[in-house]
Amino acid sequence: MLAHAIAAELNLPRPFMVGLSPAYIEHGARGSLPSAHATVMFTVALLCLRRPALRRAGAVVFVAGILTGWARIHVGVHFPADIPAGLLLALVLVAVFGGLEHVGRRVRGVLERGSSSA
């Protein structure tokens, strides 16, 4: 949702909208930066990469994100910069999730210490 909101606010055209590429696939004429596909795939990949048991899956999803990004560029619905912008947004989201996870652990620790002393 955040990627769509940012893209709507920036409202940058897609390659097919400015005549740089035919529209090889049907797509709405809305903002392209960042790529929502890239944001979602890279967010899932990076979250998986944080967990040792899911690192292989994370690597596979990361490569799939790169390939999907390339395909979206190839069919004319994204400029090359839209894909790394999705990766950047994914990095920010994963950092926020990590920060929330850290805060949650600290709060849980405080609550557990408080309940054990009562």
Side-chain angles (χ1 to χ4, degrees):
M1 291 187 320
L2 185 56
H4 283 290
I6 293 169
E9 186 65 29
L10 295 174
N11 201 29
L12 297 174
R14 296 175 180 274
F16 73 86
M17 294 166 62
V18 293
L20 293 175
S21 170
Y24 290 110
I25 62 172
E26 190 173 318
H27 201 286
R30 56 186 182 273
S32 69
L33 182 103
S35 164
H37 280 84
T39 301
V40 170
M41 294 183 81
F42 289 134
T43 300
V44 170
L46 293 169
L47 288 171
C48 288
L49 289 169
R50 294 185 65 205
R51 305 281 184 239
L54 298 174
R55 286 202 175 124
R56 285 184 192 220
V60 169
V61 175
F62 195 89
V63 170
I66 293 169
L67 294 174
T68 300
W70 177 86
R72 306 280 293 167
I73 294 165
H74 179 73
V75 298
V77 296
H78 279 294
F79 286 103
D82 299 344
I83 308 310
L87 174 57
L88 180 62
L89 180 55
L91 287 165
V92 169
L93 290 171
V94 170
V96 169
F97 294 153
L100 291 172
E101 183 179 41
H102 177 73
V103 169
R105 282 192 194 126
R106 291 193 61 162
V107 168
R108 188 175 76 207
V110 168
L111 293 175
E112 287 173 354
R113 283 192 300 276
S115 67
S116 65
S117 65

